[in-house]
Structure formats: C-alpha cells, structure tokens
C-alpha cells in the first residue's frame, strides 16, 4: 500500500509492506527536507531500551527524543506523537500524559501490556499497540529449552565439564530425566501455548491444557492436547507444567501453595508468562521441601532477581532474566512491527496490533 499521508502538517511518503510473517513491516521514504515524526523512547543502549546496534530501525523513520533530551528541551513535548516502550517501564501516568498534548499512540515491544494502564492511556485519546505475532515462536522455543535444560541437567553438565578434577567422573547426582513420553500440562492455551504443544508433540508427550474456556475440538486435535477444566487436576497429572497466562488481577499468584502441593513430587514447573503469576515465596518453600522437584523460570519479580535471593541458591532451579524473545531475529522483527504500528496510528489508520480492552 503506497500513498501520501499528513502527520501534524508535515507531508511524507510512506510505503507499508505487508509480509506473511510477522505482519506489517514498515519502511518509510523521506526527502532530505522533510521532518520525521517525533517519538519518545529511552536512550538507545540504556536499561529497558532498544539496543544501540538496532537504533537505525527506528531512526530511519522518526526523529527520536530520549528522556534526557526532553528534560533539557521541554519544548519538544509539543512535537512528540508516539512513545516506544521497550521493557516493563511504568512511567506513563496521568501527569506524564498531560504533558504530551499531541501524543497519538503508545507502542509496546512484546505482547504483555500489564505494565501499561490502557484505560488511562485511552482516556487521553491515545491508542496502545503491542507485537503479539512475532513473539510466539521464540517464546515457545525457550519453553522447550528450559524443559530440556532442567530435565537433563544441562547446566550442571556444562559446569562439571569446566570445573571437574582430573580423573573425576560425572556422578549419579547428575542423572537427568526424560521428557519423551511424559505428561505436559499447559496452563493457558493461547497462541504461544499452542506452539508449545506442537513442539511437545515431537517428543511424544501426553498433553493436557487448562484454560478459562475450552478451545475448539479441531484446535485440540491439531496440537494433540486434551482439555482439563480443573487446574489442580492438570497439575496432579503432569510431569512438566508450563505456565503461559497473561498477568491480571485474577491470575496473580495463580500458582500458589495449594497448586504446588497438587503437583507431583517429581514434577518441574516452567514459567514463561509473568513472574507474579507464581507465588515466589511458596515456590521457594516447595523447592526446599521437595514438594516439587524443580523449576525453570524465564520470569520473576523483580527482574532480574537481586543477588542473594533464595531462588538463586537452589540447585534445582534455572533462572533466566526474561529472555523469551531475546534473539537477534525476533528483536529486529519486534522493532519493525513497532514502527509499523506507530506509522499506521500517525497516519490515522487502525494499527495492525492495537490493544483493545
């Protein structure tokens, strides 16, 4: 689709190209005399910011204002039309929004938007978007990676290879477990959950899922999953439990002491949703007291965990710093999708990934 759009009185040429995957990837062409739309984001390369090496993916389309520049040049607030959110920042509140009178869209990188007050943002006439399509496959891949790493003691094996004494052999304590032909329970059968199930089929796993609503039978058959309406029943049957629900008030501490007690003592809990979906204090107790055998976590609260946190001292836990989408390919696609969402919103179109609540 090619055409002329006007953004704040500035005419620019845009070319938005629809690709089969991950969706709209946008490129934009400017003459040397045209001013690009202004976007606010954290300074490239800083914590919770887009990496400096990928900054051109944004700078090719926008005039980028970071918070330091906005503080030193407050007049640019009048020009800012989009905010690019990378990470789980929570700085967007009412007073902040009031200071950006021409803001049109808040563009989130990633699918989770629990850190954004969407009704508040919408009340200012500002849209919110995310990037759901591009995160599904890498997140599902990481779920399987965590399952394998935990079950087969891969990290411990690597540590042994690096630190063993001469003549020492790997010991019985490093015996792992199979995942083939075992039972997988998926808590939250959304798009990522379905991709985890597809991957688990390759290991001949028996797959159960729990969801607020049952999926169509055709979807169940496609991914080889059986619906379990009672969460604790799923937990009791599963050798591996993968948690994949969105963080809401209802899902906060969805996995607590009662749920952990319902699991097999030989089971492994894998959380790739949000840290607060699992009661971390209850999880520490369950692991210390061998209520469950192991846990593999891509998400915690806070992120990353502070040094000295009890979870980090347990040998039967893998803890990652929220790396579900942390690949070069996915990161580039996420940024391109953010650009496409912003361009569509600034053009007055419906963004490809607008979040409606």
């Amino acid at each position: 689709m090619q055409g002329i759009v006007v953004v704040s009185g500035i005419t620019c040429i845009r070319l938005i190209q629809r690709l089969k995957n991950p969706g709209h990837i946008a490129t934009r062409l400017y003459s040397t005399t045209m001013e690009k739309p202004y976007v606010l984001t954290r300074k490239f390369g800083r914590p919770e910011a887009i990496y400096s090496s990928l900054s051109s993916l944004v700078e090719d389309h926008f005039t980028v204002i970071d918070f330091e520049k906005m503080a030193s040049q407050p007049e640019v607030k009048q020009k800012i039309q989009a905010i690019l959110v990378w990470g789980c920042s929570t700085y967007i509140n009412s007073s902040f929004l009031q200071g950006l009178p021409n803001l049109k869209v808040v563009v989130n990188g990633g699918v989770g938007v629990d850190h954004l007050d969407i009704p508040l943002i919408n009340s200012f006439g500002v849209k919110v978007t995310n990037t759901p399509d591009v995160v599904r496959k890498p997140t599902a891949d990481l779920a399987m990676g965590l399952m394998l790493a935990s079950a087969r003691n891969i990290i411990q094996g690597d540590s042994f290879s690096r630190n063993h004494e001469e003549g020492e052999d790997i010991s019985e304590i490093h015996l792992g477990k199979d995942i083939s032909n075992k039972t997988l329970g998926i808590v939250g059968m959304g798009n990522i959950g379905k991709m985890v199930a597809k991957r688990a089929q390759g290991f001949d796993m028996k797959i159960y899922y729990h969801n607020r609503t049952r999926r169509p039978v055709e979807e169940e058959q496609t991914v080889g999953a059986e619906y379990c309406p009672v969460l604790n029943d799923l937990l009791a049957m599963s050798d591996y439990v993968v948690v994949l629900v969105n963080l809401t008030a209802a899902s906060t501490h969805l996995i607590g002491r009662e749920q952990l007690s319902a699991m097999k003592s030989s089971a492994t809990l894998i959380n790739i949703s949000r840290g607060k979906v699992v009661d971390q204090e209850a999880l520490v107790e369950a692991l210390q007291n061998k209520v469950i055998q192991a846990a593999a976590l891509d998400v915690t609260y806070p992120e990353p965990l502070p040094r000295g946190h009890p979870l980090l001292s347990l040998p039967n836990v893998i803890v990652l710093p929220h790396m579900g989408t942390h690949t070069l390919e996915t990161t580039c696609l996420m940024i391109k999708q953010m650009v496409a969402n912003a361009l569509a919103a600034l053009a007055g179109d419906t963004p490809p990934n607008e979040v409606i609540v």
Side-chain angles (χ1 to χ4, degrees):
M1 174 174 66
Q2 185 172 352
I4 305 296
V5 297
V6 177
V7 180
S8 292
I10 301 169
T11 304
C12 39
I13 301 174
R14 70 182 171 91
L15 173 66
I16 296 182
Q17 188 177 40
R18 180 187 291 272
L19 300 180
K20 187 175 294 184
N21 187 18
H24 297 277
I25 304 299
T27 47
R28 194 165 190 160
L29 307 176
Y30 295 88
S31 77
T32 56
T33 60
M34 292 177 181
E35 186 179 33
K36 302 173 186 178
Y38 281 61
V39 300
L40 175 68
T41 192
R42 292 192 184 278
K43 192 169 186 177
F44 297 128
R46 296 285 179 85
E48 292 198 298
I50 293 169
Y51 295 127
S52 298
S53 60
L54 303 177
S55 62
S56 64
L57 296 174
V58 178
E59 292 171 327
D60 284 349
H61 308 281
F62 302 108
T63 298
V64 179
I65 303 297
D66 59 53
F67 286 85
E68 294 173 11
K69 186 179 292 186
M70 186 174 68
S72 63
Q73 302 175 29
E75 66 276 7
V76 301
K77 290 183 178 182
Q78 303 294 320
K79 295 185 177 183
I80 292 169
Q81 296 179 280
I83 301 174
L84 306 185
V85 178
W86 191 264
C88 294
S89 303
T90 56
Y91 55 83
I92 301 177
N93 54 31
S94 181
S95 60
F96 183 82
L97 292 167
Q98 288 171 357
L100 301 174
N102 292 306
L103 185 66
K104 302 289 193 302
V105 63
V106 174
V107 181
N108 186 69
V111 62
V113 290
D114 49 275
H115 53 290
L116 297 174
D117 188 339
I118 297 176
L120 172 67
I121 295 169
N122 290 163
S123 73
F124 282 80
V126 177
K127 298 179 184 294
V128 176
T129 69
N130 63 352
T131 61
D133 297 331
V134 299
V135 306
R136 295 169 184 170
K137 290 181 180 179
T139 305
D141 290 347
L142 188 69
M144 298 306 296
L146 284 169
M147 191 186 308
L148 282 164
S150 181
R152 297 300 306 272
N153 289 327
I154 289 174
I155 293 175
Q156 293 90 329
D158 176 79
S159 177
F160 173 84
S161 296
R162 295 173 187 275
N163 303 306
H164 69 89
E165 300 292 338
E166 185 175 352
E168 183 183 6
D169 196 6
I170 191 166
S171 67
E172 181 181 356
I173 196 172
H174 291 108
L175 277 172
K177 299 192 305 178
D178 290 335
I179 68 170
S180 295
N181 301 304
K182 293 297 179 68
T183 299
L184 170 64
I186 298 175
V187 182
M189 183 64 88
N191 290 311
I192 298 174
K194 287 186 286 186
M195 290 191 173
V196 171
K198 285 183 179 180
R199 285 152 176 73
Q201 284 180 297
F203 291 91
D204 298 316
M205 300 187 83
K206 173 67 176 175
I207 305 166
Y208 292 100
Y209 77 95
H210 173 75
N211 224 40
R212 288 177 298 177
T213 56
R214 184 173 180 174
R215 290 294 183 184
V217 174
E218 311 82 65
E219 287 188 19
E220 294 179 345
Q221 293 173 343
T222 298
V223 300
E226 183 178 330
Y227 182 58
C228 188
V230 180
L231 174 59
N232 281 10
D233 290 347
L234 174 142
L235 298 174
M237 293 187 290
S238 301
D239 299 299
Y240 300 91
V241 175
V242 176
V243 183
L244 278 164
V245 299
N246 293 325
L247 179 61
T248 65
S251 67
T252 299
H253 289 185
L254 178 68
I255 305 298
R257 286 180 176 82
E258 176 189 341
Q259 291 73 32
L260 292 164
S261 296
M263 294 174 64
K264 295 180 179 181
S265 60
S266 58
T268 298
L269 177 71
I270 301 157
N271 187 13
I272 56 171
S273 56
R274 284 290 186 267
K276 290 185 178 180
V277 171
V278 174
D279 182 340
Q280 281 186 177
E281 290 186 8
L283 178 60
V284 169
E285 292 175 10
L287 291 164
Q288 289 174 335
N289 298 323
K290 300 183 179 179
V291 175
I292 64 172
Q293 182 167 328
L297 312 172
D298 183 43
V299 289
T300 57
Y301 60 94
E303 292 174 349
L305 286 176
R307 292 184 179 183
H309 191 281
L311 279 173
L312 300 177
S313 66
L314 297 173
N316 51 345
V317 181
I318 296 173
V319 182
L320 299 183
H322 204 156
M323 296 174 64
T325 59
H326 201 70
T327 70
L328 176 60
E329 297 88 346
T330 298
T331 300
C332 289
L333 289 174
M334 286 171 64
I335 296 170
K336 290 178 180 180
Q337 188 64 68
M338 292 170 73
V339 169
N341 283 328
L343 290 176
L346 299 188
D349 298 332
T350 300
N353 303 115
E354 183 174 3
V355 180
I356 305 295
V357 295

